[in-house]
Amino acid sequence: MSETYQEILSQPSTWRSELRSFTERADEYRDVMHRYNSRDSIFIGCGTSYYLALTSAALFSGITGKKSKAYPASDILLFSQSVFGNAFGDYLPFLISRSGTTTEILMAAGYLKSEYDIDLLGITCRENGSLEKQVDYRFLLPEADEESVVMTRSFTSMLILVQYLSALTADDDALRNELLRLPDLGATLLGNSQDLAGEILDPGQYKRFVFLGQGPYYGLAAESMLKVKEMSLSVSEAYHSLEFRHGPKSMVDEEVLITFFVSEQGRDMEVTLIKEMRELSAGVLVICESADAEIRENADYLVELKSGLSDYARLPLYMPIPQLLGFMAAVNKGLDPDHPNNLSQVVTLEKTNFPA
Ligand code: F1P
């Protein structure tokens, strides 16, 4: 069986194992977070890890009330003034990297340390990676590491870590308890919907893919876009849901499958958009907590999570279906998701002439 497919299906058990580890280290993690309580956070990554940074910044602020933002590592190196202004010392950088060896993230770590001498936190899946040696504290998720090029369980597991750290920072035990339910909910979801991606793609109608989400769900939409693009070489786009009306909807026709990550907080506006896109003949996949009559009438395909979790706790449950969509779209095109075109497991740059 494909290693990418196995890793997608292994997410519930991986989440369970990593959450056990977070719980064992909760006091240590809480001390780390409280040590930097006065700082605003800045989440930094590349590719999938940048989309995780986007999701992380939105959820961290939503849960803790503290300011946070997200940047690709390349901006830290090329436009640091745009990132920090003159207040660089007030930030707590989280450097996110599955491999811990991506050139840009290592250079960003070195630059932040040498230029601003600020403490750095690292989030990685690989022990003894170079990143580990450059940060002041690293959160390690070895169970979530992958053989494959494409990141799936590493993304959702590192996301759960950030949710867990957010709950510790906010002393929100109710949220921490919600997170402990994710493995069982993920297992139920995959048990019920594992074949949905194949059913959606089987008629061969959909050639272009759009993913829409607001707030922390936009980072998930961006990551879903990348999964479909990386594995199936299809036209795949991501937008903040309501932004889609401001031009990009010009592309909508019956060959476009739009996946809506419906939140409870933005539900009313998101459902209105679903109806509009259905009228433009788009294929509509809705992933939501629970559907009402309007969603049922306008969704061609519907995934009701019925998790009982809050908007911020429920986030990882939205990812397995888009991951499987990318995988099946690749298989249907005769491509090998375990060996995506032009890609490698780690992006290293031979020649770097960053000004930093
Ligand atoms: C992340 C990354 C992914 C890319 C591929 C290779 O690197 O570049 O964005 O899609 O999976 O790895 P990392 O810094 O998280 O290891």
Side-chain angles (χ1 to χ4, degrees):
M1 183 195 288
S2 150
E3 59 196 16
T4 305
Y5 192 69
Q6 284 177 316
E7 288 160 356
I8 292 170
L9 297 187
S10 75
Q11 288 178 106
S13 58
T14 302
W15 299 349
R16 190 181 313 285
S17 174
E18 291 294 359
L19 273 162
R20 191 179 304 118
S21 167
F22 303 160
T23 303
E24 288 165 4
R25 290 172 173 76
D27 290 342
E28 181 182 327
Y29 286 2
R30 182 186 292 107
D31 290 348
V32 172
M33 297 309 289
H34 286 179
R35 190 181 312 157
Y36 301 104
N37 224 5
S38 61
R39 304 272 185 87
D40 294 339
S41 300
I42 179 167
F43 294 88
I44 302 165
C46 300
T48 286
S49 296
Y50 168 55
Y51 299 136
L52 175 55
L54 280 172
T55 308
S56 299
L59 81 88
F60 190 80
S61 289
I63 292 168
T64 68
K66 293 158 65 68
K67 279 192 288 183
S68 57
K69 51 186 186 179
Y71 283 89
S74 48
D75 258 8
I76 305 298
L77 299 166
L78 295 173
F79 283 90
S80 62
Q81 182 81 13
S82 306
V83 173
F84 298 105
N86 293 322
F88 48 83
D90 301 347
Y91 286 99
L92 173 63
F94 288 82
L95 297 156
I96 304 171
S97 174
R98 167 183 68 174
S99 64
T101 52
T102 297
T103 301
E104 288 131 286
I105 204 78
L106 297 179
M107 291 195 67
Y111 176 65
L112 289 170
K113 211 43 149 170
S114 61
E115 285 300 306
Y116 303 139
D117 191 26
I118 48 179
D119 282 2
L120 307 176
L121 301 184
I123 299 175
T124 186
C125 299
R126 208 151 297 170
E127 198 150 20
N128 303 319
S130 308
L131 179 64
E132 192 166 333
K133 304 177 182 69
Q134 293 187 249
V135 298
D136 297 272
Y137 186 90
R138 66 100 174 93
F139 300 96
L140 180 65
L141 295 85
E143 305 289 321
D145 202 355
E146 288 139 338
E147 295 301 316
S148 58
V149 170
V150 169
M151 292 172 67
T152 52
R153 71 181 186 199
S154 56
F155 176 87
T156 52
S157 300
M158 292 193 282
L159 169 57
I160 294 173
L161 170 72
V162 176
Q163 290 175 301
Y164 199 86
L165 296 177
S166 304
L168 288 175
T169 302
D171 293 324
D172 186 340
D173 289 343
L175 175 59
R176 264 205 299 161
N177 290 329
E178 282 192 287
L179 300 178
L180 298 178
R181 295 183 50 218
L182 285 168
D184 286 343
L185 290 164
T188 301
L189 168 71
L190 280 169
N192 295 340
S193 313
Q194 186 172 331
D195 300 330
L196 177 62
E199 289 161 20
I200 293 171
L201 295 168
D202 189 33
Q205 172 180 347
Y206 302 119
K207 305 282 191 291
R208 288 173 279 132
F209 300 84
V210 173
F211 297 89
L212 302 179
Q214 296 281 167
Y217 290 88
Y218 170 67
L220 301 189
E223 169 58 8
S224 300
M225 168 279 293
L226 184 61
K227 289 304 83 124
V228 169
K229 194 187 291 278
E230 282 182 322
M231 287 193 270
S232 74
L233 311 185
S234 304
V235 172
S236 177
E237 302 172 24
Y239 300 94
H240 286 84
S241 306
L242 303 191
E243 276 298 293
F244 192 57
R245 281 201 194 94
H246 299 275
K249 74 172 184 180
S250 59
M251 292 264 294
V252 173
D253 62 24
E254 64 287 347
E255 289 191 352
V256 177
L257 177 72
I258 304 178
T259 299
F260 292 84
F261 293 148
V262 173
S263 62
E264 288 308 290
Q265 196 158 318
R267 184 191 185 90
D268 291 348
M269 301 289 279
E270 290 160 353
V271 171
T272 302
L273 184 67
I274 289 170
K275 288 158 60 179
E276 289 173 19
M277 292 308 112
R278 191 72 192 291
E279 284 158 15
L280 294 179
S281 304
V284 172
L285 164 59
V286 172
I287 306 177
C288 62
E289 171 63 6
S290 64
D292 56 18
E294 280 189 301
I295 290 181
R296 291 190 193 288
E297 281 160 27
N298 292 282
D300 296 293
Y301 308 94
L302 173 61
V303 177
E304 291 186 277
L305 299 172
K306 293 190 183 298
S307 67
L309 303 186
S310 60
D311 270 344
Y312 290 118
R314 200 182 323 118
L315 292 160
L317 297 174
Y318 286 71
M319 287 311 298
I321 301 301
Q323 293 166 349
L324 290 169
L325 206 55
F327 182 88
M328 290 309 298
V331 169
N332 288 358
K333 289 172 77 170
L335 299 170
D336 178 0
D338 290 346
H339 301 92
N341 193 40
N342 297 339
L343 298 185
S344 57
Q345 235 249 357
V346 183
V347 177
T348 51
L349 306 177
E350 295 311 317
K351 183 177 179 306
T352 57
N353 49 1
F354 289 112

